[in-house]
Each structure stands twice: as structure tokens, then as C-alpha cells.
Amino acid sequence: MSISISGKIPTGSIEVVDEHDAANLQLRLLRDPGDDHLAIGYYHFRASGIRGQSCTYRILDVAEDASARLAGREGYEDGWTNTGPHASYDLKHWFRIPATLEGRDYVFSHVPEHDVCYYARWAPYPPQREMDFIARCQRSPRVSLSTFGRSGLGADLDLMTIGTPGPGKKACWIISRQHPSETMSGYFVEGAVERLLDEHDPIVTSLLQRAVFYVVPNINPDGTQLGHTRANGLGYNLNREWVAPSLERSPEVFHTQALMKKLGVDFCIDCHGDEELRCVFLGGPLEIPSRSEHLDTLFKTFERAWNAASPDYELGHPYPGGSPAEADLRMAWNWIAEEYNCLSVLLEQPFKDTSWWQDPIQGWSPERATRLGRELPTAVHGVLDQLR
């Protein structure tokens, strides 16, 4: 049987250049529409007819096409060094394959045990899994589901409300998948929500007596379906749209801001992933124009509470390249902190692994992302009474 490679799968993304020689399978990354110079790097594809063959995959021109980096990262290892793709035969268990940069190309080899194998920069979070998860959660009496708007291409924007709103209750938000390729956010949300629905968990019971959680499990459904790295379906990076969102460019942010204005915000976590860092990293409201000692103390208290709950959140990792003098309010966590004078944090999970504990089989994995999410309620519980 001949080898066949395809990115025409749910959340798939790759250009097939040459699939005729197992020893030299040539591929190319696809760039998102729009002008974001960082909006390339995600890949997810299916290879069939490969059982027992020594396959070498060569993603061409990565060193040129995907060499752009965020400012201040010169002292950090880039996202293509000392890592490799996740691979899976069943789309459930993902394992890591080592890869190297050879000149301009990103190269990895694999002898598959089965006829079909999936490869991705990091384990995908399938749309069907997201739909099943949301549908399953509505069985809980703690959950109500609603649609609060539509994306640029007409997809529903889902809101999960966990707990019962009432006078004096804190409004705690979880936002996920602004950048669709950062799929660890989906697993993180699963872990957080599953714990919030545990009726036998005393920390959760205490939280929901005093707070309501508003969860946007996927703020960028179009980018997810299209296999984008960072853009929505209209070609815009949602995490640069928070100062002036519009229905023409970023309806997903526009509708989220309108909902926040209606419901209020006392806490927010915006969930992302980082291709270069070897840690779980948090950014806080420390450089916004209305920065204060209270917010600084609150952020540090939250950090310590999460570190105590899970060693996977390590203390002591500085802002990459040094903290900016002023926060970029186009980014969700900064805009929300400034607008609502609240604890709003950025969560970055690694594509690679943590520095304190390396998993040689999976690296940072869906399982660890889910477990990290399960510890979020503990960290929030540690600061809840201090939020206002």
C-alpha cells in the first residue's frame, strides 16, 4: 500500500509536498490568514499505509517560515529545539517523538506499529471531545449552558455557568483557546470544571457558596475548526483585540466583553500555551496603568497557593525577557485587570515540559494539563476572600 498523508482531518493543518518516499516525506507548515508574523507553527496530520516502515518526516523551511519570536526571548531556547511532535494511534494516548533542526528543516523519524498514525505539535483537543464534554457537564445541577454570541463565521460561543449567582458572590472567569493551537487549554478546562462539579469536594463546596464560575471553554471555535495557530476565522489574533474589539474583526471578544460588563469580573484566568518555556508560567496584573500594592500582593498569594496545591506550578520563573514597563492592554488578562481592577492572570502551559520534572515518554501531556486544571479551585480558594 502507498503512503498517504493528509491534514484534511478535524483541526488538521499541513501542506503535503511529497509523500512518495517513506525516507523523505516532505511537508510544509501553513500560515494563518492575516498579518500576525507569529501565526505559523501548528501542525496536525494523519499518515496511513505506514506500518513497520522507517518513516522520516521533513517539515521544510521551518527555520525561515516559523523563526519569528516574541520580544525578549533571545535568552531562551526556541520552540523547535530539544522537542518533537506528539504522536498517537488512537487519538487518546499521545507519546513524544524526538525531532531535530537540520539546516532549514524540522525532521523526525518513526517506525509506526500500526497502519495509521497521527502527528501534531502538541496533542489536539478534538472538537467532538469538546462537544461531548459540554453536553456531559449540563447533567450536573450546578451547571447552566447558554450561547452568548456567534463567532465571525457563525459558530456558537458557549458559556458554562457553574454555581448560583447571588448578592455578594464573586464572579470568577475561565477563558480558553484564544489561540486555537494551544490545545492544552482544553484539557486544563476539563480538569477545572470536572472538579467544580464534584459535589463531595469541600474546597469546591466552599467556593460555590461564595462565588460563581463563568467558563468560556472555546472563545475561538473558528480557528479551532480551521487548524489555525493563532488567528480566528477572519484572520485576527483575538489576544490583540481587547482594547477595541469589533463585530467585523473580533466578534468573539466583543461578545465576551459585553457579557463581562453584564455579569462583572472579580477574577479571571486566560489559558494559553507557550512553545518555548519549560515551565507553567503565570502573568499577573503587575504592569497595568492602575497597578497597586493590593494587586501585587494578591497575585503573589495566588501563586503560592497554586504552588502548594501542585508542584507543576513552579515559583521563581521571571517574565521572559524581563517585565515590560507598561502592560499591553490589547491582551485579555491586562485589559480585564485594568477594566475591573481585579486579579486577572495569564496561564501559559508548556508545549515541551517543566524544568522540575521531565516525562521522557510524553513531555507535558494532556493528563498533566488536566491535573493542573483540577488544582485551580484550590488556588482560587486561597485568595477568594481577598479579591475585593
Side-chain angles (χ1 to χ4, degrees):
M1 293 181 63
S2 61
I3 293 175
S4 177
I5 299 175
S6 177
K8 303 301 182 182
I9 56 177
T11 76
S13 180
I14 202 70
E15 176 190 347
V16 180
V17 177
D18 191 330
E19 59 186 349
H20 295 98
D21 181 2
N24 188 25
L25 299 165
Q26 298 183 24
L27 311 168
R28 193 181 301 277
L29 299 174
L30 295 175
R31 182 176 290 277
D32 296 354
D35 57 5
D36 182 355
H37 68 296
L38 295 171
I40 186 171
Y42 174 70
Y43 59 88
H44 175 207
F45 61 90
R46 175 184 189 264
S48 64
I50 54 176
R51 182 199 293 258
Q53 297 199 56
S54 180
C55 297
T56 295
Y57 301 89
R58 182 175 295 272
I59 303 181
L60 304 175
D61 297 326
V62 165
E64 179 178 343
D65 293 343
S67 61
R69 306 177 70 183
L70 291 167
R73 295 296 185 96
E74 296 79 9
Y76 289 80
E77 181 180 84
D78 68 61
W80 302 98
T81 301
N82 292 323
T83 186
H86 268 143
S88 178
Y89 301 117
D90 60 6
L91 295 173
K92 294 179 181 178
H93 174 72
W94 293 85
F95 54 94
R96 190 81 73 174
I97 296 172
T100 58
L101 278 170
E102 295 184 5
R104 298 158 58 94
D105 305 336
Y106 187 66
V107 182
F108 54 92
S109 297
H110 183 217
V111 180
E113 299 174 7
H114 299 280
D115 297 320
V116 173
C117 189
Y118 296 83
Y119 302 92
R121 191 166 189 185
W122 204 86
Y125 187 79
Q128 188 61 52
R129 177 170 180 150
E130 179 182 308
M131 292 174 63
D132 292 346
F133 174 67
I134 293 172
R136 186 169 70 249
C137 288
Q138 70 178 337
R139 298 175 181 172
S140 169
R142 291 181 170 178
V143 173
S144 62
L145 296 181
S146 58
T147 298
F148 66 93
R150 288 197 169 94
S151 69
L153 300 184
D156 284 347
L157 300 173
D158 289 326
L159 176 73
M160 303 175 65
T161 301
I162 303 174
T164 304
K169 284 194 170 183
K170 303 293 194 303
C172 299
W173 288 75
I174 304 173
I175 299 172
S176 177
R177 306 292 298 279
Q178 285 205 84
H179 296 154
S181 64
E182 295 161 16
T183 51
M184 53 284 293
S185 298
Y187 293 99
F188 176 89
V189 168
E190 268 198 21
V193 170
E194 285 174 347
R195 187 171 176 199
L196 287 169
L197 301 188
D198 185 349
E199 298 180 7
H200 304 286
D201 189 311
I203 286 179
V204 168
T205 299
S206 176
L207 274 177
L208 295 183
Q209 288 174 350
R210 297 172 289 157
V212 179
F213 282 79
Y214 299 107
V215 182
V216 182
N218 190 347
I219 197 173
N220 191 353
D222 296 343
T224 297
Q225 289 285 353
L226 294 168
H228 287 175
T229 298
R230 289 163 67 87
N232 69 355
L234 303 175
Y236 296 99
N237 177 358
L238 294 183
N239 205 32
R240 299 298 185 274
E241 290 287 311
W242 284 74
V243 167
S246 69
L247 293 174
E248 294 71 29
R249 292 168 55 105
S250 48
E252 302 88 351
V253 176
F254 182 92
H255 292 307
T256 302
Q257 285 190 355
L259 192 63
M260 286 180 162
K261 184 176 181 179
K262 177 181 177 180
L263 299 175
V265 185
D266 296 294
F267 168 84
C268 183
I269 184 166
D270 179 27
C271 305
H272 289 259
D274 190 283
E275 295 88 348
E276 298 177 343
L277 301 181
R278 289 188 177 273
C279 62
V280 175
F281 177 78
L282 290 182
L286 308 182
E287 293 85 30
I288 60 174
S290 62
R291 70 195 78 175
S292 66
E293 184 177 344
H294 169 69
L295 287 178
D296 181 76
T297 300
L298 197 56
F299 176 68
K300 291 175 180 175
T301 302
F302 179 73
E303 282 195 296
R304 290 193 295 270
W306 207 344
N307 172 255
S310 173
D312 265 339
Y313 177 64
E314 304 171 72
L315 296 172
H317 288 280
Y319 194 95
S323 298
E326 294 289 341
D328 186 345
L329 296 182
R330 298 176 303 161
M331 299 181 184
W333 53 296
N334 287 321
W335 184 90
I336 293 166
E338 179 68 16
E339 182 73 11
Y340 293 97
N341 188 32
C342 69
L343 178 60
S344 176
V345 299
L346 166 75
L347 169 65
E348 297 278 11
Q349 296 179 71
F351 275 66
K352 294 181 178 180
D353 210 339
T354 59
S355 61
W356 84 278
W357 172 29
Q358 293 80 51
D359 181 340
I361 304 300
Q362 292 182 285
W364 187 253
S365 64
E367 292 83 359
R368 285 176 74 182
T370 302
R371 287 184 176 274
L372 183 69
R374 291 188 62 83
E375 300 306 333
L376 175 65
T378 301
V380 176
H381 187 266
V383 298
L384 188 67
D385 291 337
Q386 305 168 49
L387 291 178
R388 295 292 183 191

